[in-house]
Amino acid sequence: MRAGVVFASSLAAAVVGAAGLIATPAAAPQRAGAPRAVTYTRDVAPILNRHCVDCHRPGEIAPMSLTTYAEARPWAKSIRAAVATRVMPPWYADPAHGEFANNPRLADAEIATLTTWVDAGAPEGDRRDLPTSPIAAGGWTLGTPDRVVAMTAPAQVPASGPRIIADYAIEPLTFEADTYVSAIEVLPSNRTVTHHAIVNVKDAAGTRRIGGFQPGGATTIYAPGYVRLIPKGATLALNMHYNPKGTPQQDTTKIGLTLARGPVQKVVLTAMSGSRALDIPPGAANYEAVGTPYVFTADSHIVSLLPRMNERGKDFRYTLVAPDGRAVVLLSVPRFNPDWQPSYVLKTPIAAPKGTRLETVAHWDNSAANRHNPDPSQRIGFGPEIMNGYFDYTVDADVPTRTAAVR
Ligand code: HEC
C-alpha cells in the first residue's frame, strides 16, 4: 500500500475483497480430477499489484520491477523464496508493538498461490484475465485528483553540492471557503533527486504540515468522513529536499487534492514530538536524542505515526504515557530505512485523553558501517539530520455535523 493513511475499515474491506480473488488449487475442491491452474494474469498479478509493485516498479527502491509478466517471470524462484520466508514484503515496525492497517504482510493463502504458481512453471495464463494496473494515468496512485497544483517552474538541481532544502513557488490556489480534503498525493517528476517534500497550509494561525512525499509515503488518504481542513483564505506551500546525484537534473512536483464528499466526521490534525538539539559526532554509531513530548490538551485519538529521519537514522520509538505514568509503546522501528518511510497507520485509533504525553526517542548511526551514511567524518546537526516524530490525530469533541462542499 502506498497510502500514507488508510484506516482499518477501508483496508479491511480491500483485503476481504482481495481474498475473494484467491482460490488456490490446494484449497479448492478438485473438479473433473484436475486442479485449476494458477496463472500470472488471474492469480499472481493481483497479489503483486497489491503487495509488491509499490517498491518493485521503475524509480522505486527495489532492484527490479515486477509490474508485468515479462518482468516477474525471471524472478519466479526468488519470489517464491522471498515470500515463503516472509523476507518480502519488508516491514519495519517491531511486531511486538502495535497493529497497523497498512502492514503489507501476505496472507498464508497468498503465499500458497505464489508458491503453487512457481512450482507449476510460472505460467502466464490468459491475458484477458489481467487486472488493471494500480498505477493511474499521469502517475497518480489515488486516481485523478480534483485539483492539481504544480510548481510554477521546474526546480533546478545541480550535479553536485550540498543538499537543497527550500520552498518552491506553486500555482496559486485560493480557497474561498473552508475546504475539506479526503486525499493528498504528492507527485515529484524526478525521484532520483527528490528526497522528500512537505505540503504546508499557511494562514494567520501559522504554517502546518498537511501532506508530503517521502520514499514509501506519497499519499495521504482517509477513511470516509476523515478529512483535512484547508481553511478559507489559506494558501498551500511546498517545501522540497533535493540531493544532487552527479548530473544536473530538473524536477516539477505536483500536489493532487481529492475533495471530500459527504458528511465530515473528523478533521485530522498533524503534530509532532521531535528534537532539533542534534549534535552527532563523527563516527558515532548509536547517538541518542529524546523528543520534546507532545502533551494532549483535549481528549483525542491518534490515527497514524510517521517517524522522519535522514540517512543516518537508526531507530525510532513512540511511547504514550498516561497522566498516571502508565506507558505503552505505540511504534518501534528498530531498523529504520531512510529509503522507505511510510506512515504507520494504527489498525484502531488509540485514545489519548487530555494530559497524555506522546514521547519519542531515536538513534542515529554516523559510522562507516551504516551503508546509507554519505560521510562518517562529518559532525551532524539539525538540518542534515532531523528528528520529526509526526503523528496524525483527531479531537474527540470535533463536531461531526459539517458537510463537505465540492466545488
Ligand atoms: C517496501 C518496499 C518493498 C516491497 C513492498 C516489496 N519489496 Fe521486494 N525488495 C525490496 C528491496 C529494497 C529489495 C532489495 C533487497 C533489499 O534491500 O532488501 C527487494 C528484493 C526482493 C527480492 C530479491 C531480489 C534478489 O536479489 O534476489 C525479491 C524476490 C522480492 N523483493 C520480491 C518481492 C515480492 C514478491 C514482493 C511482494 C510480495 C515484494 N518484494 C515487496 C523492496 C520491497
Side-chain angles (χ1 to χ4, degrees):
M1 285 284 150
R2 162 155 294 283
V5 175
V6 184
F7 285 86
S9 54
S10 57
L11 200 86
V15 170
V16 169
L21 295 172
I22 301 153
T24 66
Q30 298 208 347
R31 271 182 237 104
R36 197 194 71 169
V38 172
T39 66
Y40 170 81
T41 53
R42 186 177 50 214
D43 309 291
V44 171
I47 299 176
L48 301 185
N49 285 349
R50 206 158 48 240
H51 297 279
C52 317
V53 306
D54 277 357
C55 300
H56 289 275
R57 72 164 95 174
E60 275 301 343
I61 63 166
M64 73 287 193
S65 177
L66 296 176
T67 60
T68 64
Y69 179 68
E71 288 172 350
R73 174 70 188 84
W75 290 97
K77 286 188 175 138
S78 311
I79 290 172
R80 181 176 59 193
V83 300
T85 53
R86 290 198 182 274
V87 169
M88 287 286 146
W91 181 243
Y92 298 96
D94 180 344
H97 307 289
E99 276 197 74
F100 300 94
N102 58 335
N103 184 340
R105 190 184 158 85
L106 292 170
D108 292 343
E110 292 173 314
I111 295 175
T113 300
L114 293 174
T115 305
T116 308
W117 174 66
V118 179
D119 290 347
E124 179 172 15
D126 188 334
R127 290 192 181 177
R128 284 169 302 185
D129 291 338
L130 259 190
T132 48
S133 163
I135 305 155
W140 300 105
T141 56
L142 297 183
T144 309
D146 294 309
R147 296 276 186 285
V148 176
V149 213
M151 283 180 176
T152 49
Q156 306 293 337
V157 183
S160 62
R163 64 173 51 81
I164 301 167
I165 299 176
D167 280 345
Y168 285 83
I170 51 175
E171 292 160 349
L173 185 60
T174 314
F175 295 92
E176 282 154 11
D178 282 357
T179 303
Y180 296 109
V181 169
S182 60
I184 300 169
E185 179 165 2
V186 180
L187 192 66
S189 70
N190 186 340
R191 292 185 181 206
T192 344
V193 289
T194 304
H195 184 271
H196 71 261
I198 297 175
V199 180
N200 286 312
V201 67
K202 282 188 173 180
D203 62 9
T207 299
R208 314 176 283 289
R209 178 190 165 109
I210 55 158
F213 167 89
Q214 62 281 335
T219 59
T220 311
I221 62 170
Y222 301 107
Y226 280 69
V227 301
R228 290 281 183 177
L229 170 63
I230 304 177
K232 178 181 175 180
T235 56
L236 295 181
L238 180 63
N239 185 267
M240 302 295 301
H241 172 164
Y242 293 113
N243 286 332
K245 283 281 158 72
T247 53
Q249 303 271 333
Q250 293 191 338
D251 170 66
T252 305
T253 287
K254 291 180 194 159
I255 305 165
L257 303 174
T258 304
L259 302 179
R261 288 163 171 79
V264 171
Q265 284 185 37
K266 289 272 184 248
V267 172
V268 178
L269 303 168
T270 299
M272 127 171 140
S273 163
S275 174
R276 292 182 159 232
L278 305 179
D279 183 18
I280 310 173
N286 199 34
Y287 178 85
E288 179 173 293
V290 175
T292 306
Y294 179 89
V295 183
F296 287 88
T297 55
D299 291 352
S300 303
H301 274 78
I302 300 171
V303 294
S304 66
L305 305 152
L306 171 57
R308 288 277 299 103
M309 297 189 279
N310 288 340
E311 297 90 341
R312 293 166 178 87
K314 186 179 183 188
D315 60 61
F316 206 114
R317 197 173 68 221
Y318 291 75
T319 307
L320 193 63
V321 184
D324 67 5
R326 269 177 310 132
V328 52
V329 175
L330 296 189
L331 169 69
S332 169
V333 180
R335 277 178 305 282
F336 184 84
N337 182 346
D339 290 337
W340 195 251
Q341 306 193 31
S343 170
Y344 292 86
V345 181
L346 293 160
K347 205 159 204 168
T348 314
I350 293 194
K354 183 179 175 182
T356 305
R357 296 151 58 92
L358 187 57
E359 300 183 349
T360 51
V361 60
H363 294 88
W364 287 260
D365 182 355
N366 194 15
S367 75
N370 174 4
R371 70 185 171 97
H372 297 288
N373 191 352
D375 186 355
S377 71
Q378 297 293 311
R379 196 169 191 96
I380 300 297
F382 184 81
E385 264 310 330
I386 55 172
M387 179 191 183
N388 293 353
Y390 291 115
F391 62 96
D392 286 356
Y393 69 102
T394 60
V395 175
D396 296 359
D398 192 16
V399 195
T401 51
R402 288 155 297 197
T403 299
V406 175
R407 70 192 82 232

